[in-house]
Amino acid sequence: MNRRIPIVTLLLIAVALVIAAWPDARLALIYDRDAILAGEIWRLFTGHLVHLSIRHLAFDLIGFGVAGCMIEARRMPSFGWLCGVVPCLSSGLMLWLNPTMSQYAGLSGLALAAWVYLGLSSLSAQSSRWLGGLVLLAVTVKLAGEICFGLGIVSGHSLEDIRVATTSHIAGAVSAGLFHLTLRPRLLREVALLA
Amino acid sequence: MKDHAMKTKIWCGSILAVLALLGAGCDTVGARHQQTSSLFSYLYADQTGHTDEPSVPVLSLPLRVGVAFVPMKSKDRGSSWSRETLIFSEQQKLELARRVAGEFVHHEFIKSVDLIPSAYLAEGGSFRNLDQLRQIYGIDVVVLLSYDQVQFTDQGALTLSYWTIVGAYVVQGEKNDTQTMIDAAVYDIASRKLLFRSPGLSEIKGSATPVNLSEQLRRDSAAGFEVAATNLVANLTVQLEEFKGRVKNAPTEYRIEFKPGYTGAGNFGGAEIVFIGMLAGGVLLGRWHRKS
């Protein structure tokens, strides 16, 4: 059987690990509202690769890594584009909707986008609809838990005012949905007709 | 008579020459060379014997930190020895300040670290001066670096006594030894409280002979500052971690407030990771089942 190496997933994981091992990079790459507004726009993307602790890094990498490997193993199209577009879109929304959030860090927004993309793509495929349904149900439960109860906060940071960045997660999920629709023009037309 | 006058002149000249040689020797052999900038003199110039009492500082996180060297006393700045053979130059001070700043900047509760030029610190400026720095730089906490180095070139004066912010620090030396202490005291300016301190010590054993004394002492002085700075930075790493632990685990000792603006993050909790593991396991099991 022809196995495919999950290049995009491994590349992003490697970059996140390098940043975690290089503390100076964190300062230069983290999503920092003031710095972005001052022109450091690369932080819109790179902020998603910065993590605040080993636990934060480990859980985000597991969350993103499993979804990314499953997507690339199933040869779902344009995953690289998704990984490029979603962080920027998500950061743009946070910049607009969360003026009091001075910093953001973590791959969780992109990880949720990957899970939504996996779920929607699996639902479209005939063979693995159960997987798609299960994944989308789990994502819905997670987002509902965050919105209603503030679940998903990074623990162990009593010296920093850290709050769960629900905007990033919702933005990731919504943009993955839109991305999935743009890849399927027929489905997009049907949705437009329904609307 | 003329011979007698001549003899007297020769004797007097000889005695003067010997005295001049002895006098010259006192500058390099019989003195105790010292370079110092005292934190105690800077903060409590008019309160002899003061030590800080423990109390509850209010930390407004994330902190903005300033790093500065306490100014030398003007009498030391003006002395011929300090002026001509000062080993701990402004360049070296800046380098050490950068290393100290580097230890702070990686911690999540630190917003920024500013290096404050020595010119902004007035001799005996005390907390009034620190309040001005707080206004100028917008800092909450200041790391005050001070140093004391003594080279015991006289057999009779072999003790260095340095009055640190937590009491006297006394070292015994031997002839031609170089004893160095660099001290980093971290103060919360608003509450005027010492958060923690970190000393860096070094002792360079004297190997100088009267022939190369001046040159060797100069080399020992530079090496003393280098070793003390390295020890200070290593100590500071430990002290910072301990301080973090104290702030987290002893909320009665420090009151924490958060400045406007928060950090957003989010990750997968234990339940989600278990779900992901079960899902991935199920997919792999299904694939293996189909194959077999």
Side-chain angles (χ1 to χ4, degrees):
Chain A
M1 190 177 153
N2 188 13
R3 283 173 187 269
R4 189 177 173 188
I5 298 167
I7 295 169
V8 176
T9 307
L10 292 179
L11 182 69
L12 286 177
I13 287 174
V15 174
L17 287 171
V18 168
I19 293 170
W22 186 15
D24 286 339
R26 180 193 150 168
L27 297 171
L29 300 177
I30 197 168
Y31 170 103
D32 184 306
R33 187 180 171 80
D34 294 340
I36 291 168
L37 293 176
E40 297 179 9
I41 55 167
W42 64 85
R43 291 172 186 266
L44 291 169
F45 177 79
T46 57
H48 293 257
L49 299 169
V50 176
H51 290 84
L52 302 173
S53 68
I54 298 289
R55 182 186 181 277
H56 188 205
L57 175 75
F59 281 21
D60 272 3
L61 290 191
I62 291 170
F64 173 74
V66 172
C69 287
M70 287 171 81
I71 288 168
E72 292 196 73
R74 283 155 196 264
R75 296 171 187 275
M76 292 174 179
S78 306
F79 181 57
W81 279 104
L82 179 89
C83 291
V85 169
V86 166
C88 298
L89 198 64
S90 171
S91 294
L93 278 172
M94 287 191 288
L95 209 60
W96 179 34
L97 298 173
N98 288 119
T100 55
M101 188 166 76
S102 53
Q103 289 194 319
Y104 171 80
L107 207 52
S108 55
L110 181 57
L112 267 176
W115 282 107
V116 169
Y117 183 62
L118 174 69
L120 289 172
S121 300
S122 299
L123 268 184
S124 304
Q126 294 295 321
S127 58
S128 52
R129 286 195 162 174
W130 66 271
L131 175 69
L134 198 60
V135 165
L136 290 178
L137 180 68
V139 169
T140 308
V141 169
K142 177 173 171 58
L143 286 177
E146 284 181 7
I147 293 164
C148 299
F149 308 111
L151 300 175
I153 193 91
V154 185
S155 60
H157 286 274
S158 59
L159 296 187
E160 207 173 0
D161 187 10
I162 297 179
R163 300 178 199 172
V164 62
T166 311
T167 314
S168 164
H169 296 168
I170 293 174
V174 170
S175 50
L178 292 173
F179 192 80
H180 176 75
L181 281 177
T182 55
L183 293 176
R184 284 166 177 75
R186 209 178 109 193
L187 194 61
L188 190 62
R189 275 198 297 277
E190 285 173 11
V191 171
L193 280 173
L194 276 174
Chain B
M1 188 72 184
K2 208 173 179 182
D3 278 356
H4 180 72
M6 190 61 132
K7 274 181 184 172
T8 308
K9 274 184 183 174
I10 289 168
W11 271 108
C12 286
S14 302
I15 289 165
L16 280 173
V18 169
L19 283 174
L21 275 171
L22 283 173
C26 283
D27 265 346
T28 53
V29 180
R32 190 180 83 162
H33 291 169
Q34 190 163 11
Q35 294 186 70
T36 180
S37 75
S38 168
L39 173 64
F40 194 84
S41 301
Y42 173 69
L43 288 180
Y44 307 109
D46 52 349
Q47 301 172 50
T48 315
H50 177 98
T51 51
D52 283 311
E53 293 297 323
S55 61
V56 183
V58 180
L59 301 176
S60 182
L61 303 182
L63 296 171
R64 291 177 191 270
V65 180
V67 181
F69 263 92
V70 169
M72 286 181 82
K73 291 177 199 165
S74 55
K75 67 178 173 67
D76 292 336
R77 268 203 304 270
S79 74
S80 61
W81 187 82
S82 300
R83 201 170 49 237
E84 288 163 15
T85 59
L86 195 66
I87 304 298
F88 203 35
S89 63
E90 283 301 315
Q91 189 59 38
Q92 280 177 294
K93 287 180 188 173
L94 191 65
E95 183 57 35
L96 175 60
R98 280 205 186 103
R99 286 169 70 184
V100 169
E103 288 301 312
F104 279 84
V105 81
H106 304 311
H107 291 272
E108 75 273 10
F109 62 97
I110 304 294
K111 171 77 176 171
S112 62
V113 184
D114 287 306
L115 301 183
I116 299 169
S118 300
Y120 282 76
L121 277 80
E123 190 186 340
S126 192
F127 285 103
R128 288 185 307 280
N129 192 192
L130 293 181
D131 283 335
Q132 290 166 343
L133 294 179
R134 190 175 171 221
Q135 294 289 325
I136 296 167
Y137 284 90
I139 55 175
D140 310 296
V141 165
V142 67
V143 184
L144 290 173
L145 295 162
S146 56
Y147 57 91
D148 199 352
Q149 183 177 73
V150 65
Q151 295 184 305
F152 303 108
T153 51
D154 185 355
Q155 194 68 52
L158 302 182
T159 304
L160 162 67
S161 176
Y162 178 74
W163 189 262
T164 72
I165 216 68
V166 290
Y169 161 77
V170 180
V171 288
Q172 298 293 329
E174 290 176 16
K175 193 176 178 185
N176 294 337
D177 278 3
T178 302
Q179 301 278 359
T180 311
M181 185 176 92
I182 309 179
D183 189 64
V186 183
Y187 271 88
D188 176 47
I189 302 173
S191 62
R192 310 194 166 202
K193 299 303 171 200
L194 177 69
L195 299 179
F196 63 94
R197 65 178 280 273
S198 167
L201 307 173
S202 85
E203 182 187 2
I204 307 288
K205 280 291 176 194
S207 59
T209 60
V211 177
N212 71 345
L213 184 63
S214 178
E215 189 188 338
Q216 187 60 43
L217 285 177
R218 197 176 169 78
R219 276 203 291 267
D220 287 352
S221 175
F225 277 121
E226 185 59 39
V227 174
T230 304
N231 291 339
L232 167 74
V233 172
N235 267 337
L236 194 60
T237 311
V238 176
Q239 292 296 329
L240 256 168
E241 286 303 324
E242 283 183 7
F243 172 69
K244 256 173 77 174
R246 281 203 305 275
V247 172
K248 278 182 185 175
N249 303 324
T252 50
E253 286 182 36
Y254 303 93
R255 224 173 74 215
I256 301 293
E257 288 175 354
F258 290 108
K259 287 178 182 147
Y262 65 92
T263 299
N267 66 357
F268 295 86
E272 285 117 316
I273 295 297
V274 170
F275 171 79
I276 289 168
M278 285 169 65
L279 195 72
V283 169
L284 287 174
L285 202 67
R287 191 174 279 185
W288 176 77
H289 188 67
R290 275 200 300 277
K291 264 189 192 174
S292 61

